Amino acid sequence: MADFVATHRLTHEASLKMLAAGVAKANEMGVKISLAVVDASGQLIAFLMMDGARFFSGRTTIKKAITSASQRLPTGYAPEERVISMQIRMDGDFTNVLGGFPIAIEGQVVGGVAAGGAKEEEDAIVAKAALAALGLPG
């Protein structure tokens, strides 16, 4: 096994593209949301709260992005009986609320993106639009 492997890294330019695409989609839909982008380790790279977004949507949105990056899955996947255990193991950063998606390049998860503050289904649509800005499926 090699001592080093080539990796991909999410740039701040990519995160800005995702924020802009998410805001455009939210405006098109008539919703006010928060958007978050984290890197593969769950560190926040970019965050935006639209004027008029619910004040609590920020924290939940960041947790959605962290969850999707760390679990390498869209949020909302966990069976209800596992949610509390996951929240404890992730020190409160786990959420099962829809609207978070991993960002994957060539099979490697490089981060997560999430939207929050509207209906869960609307959050997911906005986050998918953010992914599409990079040519990635949601």
Side-chain angles (χ1 to χ4, degrees):
M1 182 171 186
D3 290 333
F4 301 96
V5 296
T7 61
H8 296 281
R9 184 177 52 86
L10 190 62
T11 65
H12 75 272
E13 289 95 350
S15 65
L16 291 173
K17 285 181 190 176
M18 287 189 284
L19 292 182
V23 168
K25 185 60 149 180
N27 282 332
E28 176 186 310
M29 295 169 59
V31 296
K32 303 296 183 188
I33 49 85
S34 291
L35 286 158
V37 179
V38 299
D39 68 12
S41 67
Q43 292 299 306
L44 189 64
I45 295 174
F47 176 78
L48 180 137
M49 181 179 281
M50 292 177 68
D51 295 336
R54 297 176 183 170
F55 73 91
F56 64 83
S57 67
R59 282 190 240 165
T60 304
T61 302
I62 293 168
K63 288 181 182 190
K64 289 180 187 184
I66 292 169
T67 298
S68 59
S70 68
Q71 302 302 301
R72 297 176 172 86
L73 292 167
T75 55
Y77 74 89
E80 193 59 38
E81 63 271 8
R82 294 197 56 216
V83 170
I84 298 224
S85 172
M86 293 298 293
Q87 288 173 336
I88 291 167
R89 284 187 272 157
M90 288 183 62
D91 198 24
D93 282 335
F94 178 86
T95 184
N96 206 34
V97 179
L98 298 176
F101 295 89
I103 304 166
I105 307 297
E106 298 177 5
Q108 179 188 9
V109 174
V110 297
V113 62
K119 294 177 183 172
E120 288 184 44
E121 297 78 17
E122 294 169 326
D123 292 345
I125 291 168
V126 171
K128 285 180 181 182
L131 278 175
L134 300 183
L136 301 173

